[in-house]
Amino acid sequence: MAGRQRQSRRRAAGRVLLPALLLCLCCRAAPERIRYAIPEELGRGSLVGPLARDLGLSPADLPARKLRLSAEKQYFGVSGETGNLYVSERLDREEMCGESASCSVSFEALVQNPLNVFHVEVAIQDVNDNAPRFLRDTFELEINELTSPGARFYLGMAEDADVGSNSLQGYELEASGYFAVEVKESPDGSKFAELVLRRALDRESEQSLRLVLTALDGGEPPRSGTALLCINVTDANDNPPVFAQDRYRASLPEDAPPGSPVLHVSASDADAGTNARITYGFGEMPAKALQKFVVEAESGTITLREALDFEDTRAFSLAVEARDGGGLTAHCKVEVEVLDVNDNAPEITMLSVSSPVPEDAPPGTVVALVKVRDRDSGENGQVSCELRGEAPLSIVASSGGSYKVVTASALDREQAAEHRVTVVAMDRGIPALSSRAALVLEVSDVNDNAPVFEEAAYSAYVAENNAAGAAVVRVRARDADAGANGRVSYWLAGGSAGAAGAAAYVSVEARSGAVYAQRSFDYEQCREFAVAVRAQDGGAPARSSTATVRVFVLDRNDNAPRVLWPAAGAGAGAGAGAGAAGAGAAPFEVVPRSAEAGYLVAKVVAVDADAGRNAWLSYELVQAPEPALFRVGLHSGEVRTARAVSERDAAKQRVVAVVKDHGQPALSATATLHVVLAESLQEALPELSERAAGADSPAELQFYLVLALALLSALFLLSVALAVLARVRRAGPPAVLRCLGAQRFSVAGAAFPADFCEGTLPYSYNLCVAPGRAVAEGAWLPPPPPPLPSLPAEELLGGEPCGKRSPSSSAGAGEPPADPDAPQVCTPAQASSLSLSSPHAGGSGLLARRLSALPGSAHLCFHERMKPSVLLAALLAARPSRSGASCVVGCRTAGRRGGVLALHLVLGEMRHKRGEARGWDGLC
């Protein structure tokens, strides 16, 4: 019932106070500190105050400034859109602050860009949400009937977690004629109740009484708590116990071990016997005190039961009761003070760390916020904080135990990419306790370093006539920055001819810095040049530096010496006899015949466009009519007489000197000097005129010679071609074509006889001869002859051997044809055989007689090496036995084709010589 009353009163109070408590007060106590005041037990999401506005931040600044809270327990939250401060956890002042008269929650509000910290304190105002409560629901008292009116009995005190006017204010007792209740206040401000006897008791009339004791607070509406008093009336015990002191005080360090004695209390009783026997115990006390201490019933010694904690409870108030054997009691107060011991090291909390920090951050930039707390009190709770480690950082104390870590000087990432320091917090206790926390701060790169070349000036040596694209030199620059800020690219910035001129000579690879030649260099045109190479990093803005690359072109022996005197037009090396343009003759030197040895004739002057050893020239004579007459200086080029000029020496001298350089390989040029040996110029003129009139240009002579050879070659080739054409015209078409003509055989039949023989000897030829005829070719063309029996190609190609009858033949063996003048197809049955296996076969006369004796047709087998002239003479001298066609049939060779070609030429020659087809007609 009491619990339901308390809950109903709490809801009623909440409904009444809620509209008023939603208003919060805020004020600016000091710079960087903001205070708000709100009632406890506000619901989650209740508005506390416009934190962003009080910090001077607009809603548009919130995303960039990143407003957030830092606290050990997040009772509050901040809106990311409006910046208002809201309640995020249940606020119970009694749980948070206990019996303290004031209660507040402190935390830090952090903003970024730049980093700053603001201390916020929210005061939690008490609400009458707790009713007074007795520690016991029932109090049992035994009072002797002889107790005098005015006697007082200690009832203890009720607890009320609220403070101020909402705390416990008084007690009320149910109406009774014997007792009344009075409120007493102890020195510490607590209020307890005493039961006062108004008139004497009479056990015989009333043996026990039951009264209700009510405790009231001062809230609106007030809250109350009740307890039941059970009073038993006993017989007389007229002397109660008496303590030696009404109040005892003791102190105990918080590190005292359990079992340590705290205090000894004593009480006396004037009675005797069992009424004088006193026992000790604790009266009504908070449960926490009963857990920490214990009193011995017989001796009254109070000892420590559990370890103390100064940070939890700093003092205890103990109610000690002494009871005699008759039931009379006495009470005293024991106040135990807990002494602080330095048993808590400082606690370090990193509220915020801005890492990485750009290296161009100015000195004094806040990089971290540190909160240091020591739960001890006094000097044990006074903390000093410092940084240990080599770093350009310092720590500055802020308010509320907060510290700022700021940059003490400029940062340089190239010297240290990160800084590691230790935050050391030390209190002033004895012995002092300390805590450490590591702080790692990374430094981000800023493009504050330009690329630096390994050398301020580079020198490169390239031999001339190099290939385009050849590597010249490689430049390298280093940038101490990182990432894109340290990525170096190379460019041509100019040179001795400007940026455009430098690009015509060399190019540079952007990534590697390799310098390449854009073209082939010529030492004679450019011996050295300089280009500027720029190294640029990838930062924003970009930084760059420039180095000079000086390229020296090395000489190669690529230029032959050039003769200046005598002029090149007059030199034999040039192959011309004329002098310069407009001059009719080459220059000459006149040497008197009376000249002695060492006489200076002329000086050969030559230059070489190369340099160094390639331009060192030496002179020597390579041609002179009189080798012993002249000499040339090896290095001077002076042509002098080696001996005295004699009358035997020719009047005209042609001296050829060669000029060589010292390159590898050496190059040379020649100079021709015409010398006339005469005493005077008038004496030398006839020699010069004769020389000029009779001299022809060697170049012209060479031209005419080549032209003559070309004409002769053309005439020879034309003669050969005409001869071949005439020979072809006289020979006419080959006999084999005539043998295959349509007039000789039927157009419907095959063009070859049906029989085909290979011969009897290897490398021999078979000749089939038909009966002779005395008419010319043109005589039997008209009228057209009757068709001959046609033979299929299979029978022609696959004929029987010689001496067998062909099954396709229309006539029987040995039967002459019906028309003796008609063309016949030579068959083996009509032909006689003549084998000429010897290369000579007895000469042309014997061969002719044997051929003339052949009747009808014949097979002629002759040796492949038989001379064509012998065969030709025999064929021309032979007379067929009768007129008729004669044809070479079945001629083939087992190996070579030379014999067939030879026979073909013989028959063709025979036809041209006779002028008509007589006897042997052709090669089939």
PDB file of all heavy atoms in Angstrom, residues 123-136:
ATOM      1  N   ALA A 123      23.360  21.670 -14.694  1.00  0.00           N
ATOM      2  CA  ALA A 123      22.930  21.471 -13.314  1.00  0.00           C
ATOM      3  C   ALA A 123      21.632  20.669 -13.304  1.00  0.00           C
ATOM      4  O   ALA A 123      20.679  21.001 -14.018  1.00  0.00           O
ATOM      5  CB  ALA A 123      22.739  22.805 -12.613  1.00  0.00           C
ATOM      6  N   ILE A 124      21.615  19.616 -12.491  1.00  0.00           N
ATOM      7  CA  ILE A 124      20.438  18.755 -12.369  1.00  0.00           C
ATOM      8  C   ILE A 124      19.676  19.183 -11.120  1.00  0.00           C
ATOM      9  O   ILE A 124      20.164  19.040  -9.993  1.00  0.00           O
ATOM     10  CB  ILE A 124      20.844  17.275 -12.279  1.00  0.00           C
ATOM     11  CG1 ILE A 124      21.805  16.915 -13.424  1.00  0.00           C
ATOM     12  CG2 ILE A 124      19.620  16.394 -12.308  1.00  0.00           C
ATOM     13  CD1 ILE A 124      21.215  17.132 -14.786  1.00  0.00           C
ATOM     14  N   GLN A 125      18.528  19.750 -11.336  1.00  0.00           N
ATOM     15  CA  GLN A 125      17.701  20.235 -10.220  1.00  0.00           C
ATOM     16  C   GLN A 125      16.834  19.103  -9.671  1.00  0.00           C
ATOM     17  O   GLN A 125      16.325  18.266 -10.423  1.00  0.00           O
ATOM     18  CB  GLN A 125      16.816  21.386 -10.697  1.00  0.00           C
ATOM     19  CG  GLN A 125      17.610  22.601 -11.150  1.00  0.00           C
ATOM     20  CD  GLN A 125      16.721  23.694 -11.700  1.00  0.00           C
ATOM     21  OE1 GLN A 125      15.534  23.459 -11.949  1.00  0.00           O
ATOM     22  NE2 GLN A 125      17.292  24.890 -11.875  1.00  0.00           N
ATOM     23  N   ASP A 126      16.723  19.116  -8.356  1.00  0.00           N
ATOM     24  CA  ASP A 126      16.011  18.039  -7.685  1.00  0.00           C
ATOM     25  C   ASP A 126      14.500  18.176  -7.895  1.00  0.00           C
ATOM     26  O   ASP A 126      13.946  19.276  -7.916  1.00  0.00           O
ATOM     27  CB  ASP A 126      16.320  18.058  -6.180  1.00  0.00           C
ATOM     28  CG  ASP A 126      15.663  16.886  -5.475  1.00  0.00           C
ATOM     29  OD1 ASP A 126      15.850  15.734  -5.937  1.00  0.00           O
ATOM     30  OD2 ASP A 126      14.963  17.119  -4.492  1.00  0.00           O
ATOM     31  N   VAL A 127      13.864  17.026  -8.043  1.00  0.00           N
ATOM     32  CA  VAL A 127      12.412  16.926  -8.150  1.00  0.00           C
ATOM     33  C   VAL A 127      11.949  15.982  -7.045  1.00  0.00           C
ATOM     34  O   VAL A 127      12.629  14.986  -6.743  1.00  0.00           O
ATOM     35  CB  VAL A 127      12.006  16.400  -9.544  1.00  0.00           C
ATOM     36  CG1 VAL A 127      10.506  16.172  -9.618  1.00  0.00           C
ATOM     37  CG2 VAL A 127      12.441  17.386 -10.621  1.00  0.00           C
ATOM     38  N   ASN A 128      10.854  16.308  -6.447  1.00  0.00           N
ATOM     39  CA  ASN A 128      10.340  15.505  -5.339  1.00  0.00           C
ATOM     40  C   ASN A 128       9.786  14.178  -5.879  1.00  0.00           C
ATOM     41  O   ASN A 128       8.578  13.960  -5.962  1.00  0.00           O
ATOM     42  CB  ASN A 128       9.265  16.278  -4.570  1.00  0.00           C
ATOM     43  CG  ASN A 128       8.899  15.565  -3.271  1.00  0.00           C
ATOM     44  OD1 ASN A 128       9.689  14.783  -2.740  1.00  0.00           O
ATOM     45  ND2 ASN A 128       7.705  15.853  -2.752  1.00  0.00           N
ATOM     46  N   ASP A 129      10.714  13.337  -6.243  1.00  0.00           N
ATOM     47  CA  ASP A 129      10.336  12.052  -6.799  1.00  0.00           C
ATOM     48  C   ASP A 129      10.626  10.896  -5.854  1.00  0.00           C
ATOM     49  O   ASP A 129      10.491   9.733  -6.218  1.00  0.00           O
ATOM     50  CB  ASP A 129      11.051  11.804  -8.132  1.00  0.00           C
ATOM     51  CG  ASP A 129      12.557  11.890  -7.986  1.00  0.00           C
ATOM     52  OD1 ASP A 129      13.032  12.405  -6.951  1.00  0.00           O
ATOM     53  OD2 ASP A 129      13.257  11.449  -8.912  1.00  0.00           O
ATOM     54  N   ASN A 130      11.047  11.215  -4.613  1.00  0.00           N
ATOM     55  CA  ASN A 130      11.324  10.170  -3.632  1.00  0.00           C
ATOM     56  C   ASN A 130      10.573  10.494  -2.337  1.00  0.00           C
ATOM     57  O   ASN A 130      10.687  11.611  -1.794  1.00  0.00           O
ATOM     58  CB  ASN A 130      12.826  10.077  -3.341  1.00  0.00           C
ATOM     59  CG  ASN A 130      13.609   9.593  -4.546  1.00  0.00           C
ATOM     60  OD1 ASN A 130      13.646   8.412  -4.838  1.00  0.00           O
ATOM     61  ND2 ASN A 130      14.246  10.544  -5.259  1.00  0.00           N
ATOM     62  N   ALA A 131       9.838   9.524  -1.823  1.00  0.00           N
ATOM     63  CA  ALA A 131       9.127   9.684  -0.541  1.00  0.00           C
ATOM     64  C   ALA A 131      10.039   9.254   0.607  1.00  0.00           C
ATOM     65  O   ALA A 131      10.928   8.428   0.421  1.00  0.00           O
ATOM     66  CB  ALA A 131       7.858   8.842  -0.539  1.00  0.00           C
ATOM     67  N   PRO A 132       9.876   9.851   1.782  1.00  0.00           N
ATOM     68  CA  PRO A 132      10.667   9.391   2.930  1.00  0.00           C
ATOM     69  C   PRO A 132      10.405   7.894   3.186  1.00  0.00           C
ATOM     70  O   PRO A 132       9.298   7.382   2.963  1.00  0.00           O
ATOM     71  CB  PRO A 132      10.166  10.261   4.076  1.00  0.00           C
ATOM     72  CG  PRO A 132       9.575  11.469   3.403  1.00  0.00           C
ATOM     73  CD  PRO A 132       9.000  10.988   2.135  1.00  0.00           C
ATOM     74  N   ARG A 133      11.437   7.229   3.672  1.00  0.00           N
ATOM     75  CA  ARG A 133      11.327   5.792   3.902  1.00  0.00           C
ATOM     76  C   ARG A 133      12.065   5.417   5.174  1.00  0.00           C
ATOM     77  O   ARG A 133      13.215   5.826   5.363  1.00  0.00           O
ATOM     78  CB  ARG A 133      11.921   5.038   2.709  1.00  0.00           C
ATOM     79  CG  ARG A 133      11.806   3.537   2.794  1.00  0.00           C
ATOM     80  CD  ARG A 133      12.374   2.896   1.528  1.00  0.00           C
ATOM     81  NE  ARG A 133      13.810   3.180   1.419  1.00  0.00           N
ATOM     82  CZ  ARG A 133      14.769   2.390   1.955  1.00  0.00           C
ATOM     83  NH1 ARG A 133      14.420   1.335   2.663  1.00  0.00           N
ATOM     84  NH2 ARG A 133      16.036   2.703   1.811  1.00  0.00           N
ATOM     85  N   PHE A 134      11.343   4.686   6.034  1.00  0.00           N
ATOM     86  CA  PHE A 134      11.989   4.175   7.233  1.00  0.00           C
ATOM     87  C   PHE A 134      12.779   2.916   6.864  1.00  0.00           C
ATOM     88  O   PHE A 134      12.399   2.166   5.960  1.00  0.00           O
ATOM     89  CB  PHE A 134      10.942   3.835   8.321  1.00  0.00           C
ATOM     90  CG  PHE A 134      10.336   5.056   8.959  1.00  0.00           C
ATOM     91  CD1 PHE A 134       9.112   5.561   8.524  1.00  0.00           C
ATOM     92  CD2 PHE A 134      11.005   5.708   9.995  1.00  0.00           C
ATOM     93  CE1 PHE A 134       8.560   6.686   9.122  1.00  0.00           C
ATOM     94  CE2 PHE A 134      10.433   6.831  10.588  1.00  0.00           C
ATOM     95  CZ  PHE A 134       9.220   7.333  10.142  1.00  0.00           C
ATOM     96  N   LEU A 135      13.845   2.715   7.631  1.00  0.00           N
ATOM     97  CA  LEU A 135      14.661   1.543   7.356  1.00  0.00           C
ATOM     98  C   LEU A 135      13.962   0.266   7.787  1.00  0.00           C
ATOM     99  O   LEU A 135      14.234  -0.807   7.245  1.00  0.00           O
ATOM    100  CB  LEU A 135      16.005   1.672   8.073  1.00  0.00           C
ATOM    101  CG  LEU A 135      16.871   2.864   7.622  1.00  0.00           C
ATOM    102  CD1 LEU A 135      18.169   2.898   8.406  1.00  0.00           C
ATOM    103  CD2 LEU A 135      17.149   2.803   6.135  1.00  0.00           C
ATOM    104  N   ARG A 136      13.075   0.400   8.767  1.00  0.00           N
ATOM    105  CA  ARG A 136      12.292  -0.760   9.205  1.00  0.00           C
ATOM    106  C   ARG A 136      10.816  -0.384   9.163  1.00  0.00           C
ATOM    107  O   ARG A 136      10.434   0.741   9.483  1.00  0.00           O
ATOM    108  CB  ARG A 136      12.665  -1.181  10.624  1.00  0.00           C
ATOM    109  CG  ARG A 136      14.071  -1.782  10.726  1.00  0.00           C
ATOM    110  CD  ARG A 136      14.316  -2.346  12.114  1.00  0.00           C
ATOM    111  NE  ARG A 136      14.236  -1.322  13.135  1.00  0.00           N
ATOM    112  CZ  ARG A 136      14.379  -1.571  14.452  1.00  0.00           C
ATOM    113  NH1 ARG A 136      14.582  -2.830  14.863  1.00  0.00           N
ATOM    114  NH2 ARG A 136      14.304  -0.600  15.327  1.00  0.00           N
TER     115      ARG A 136
END
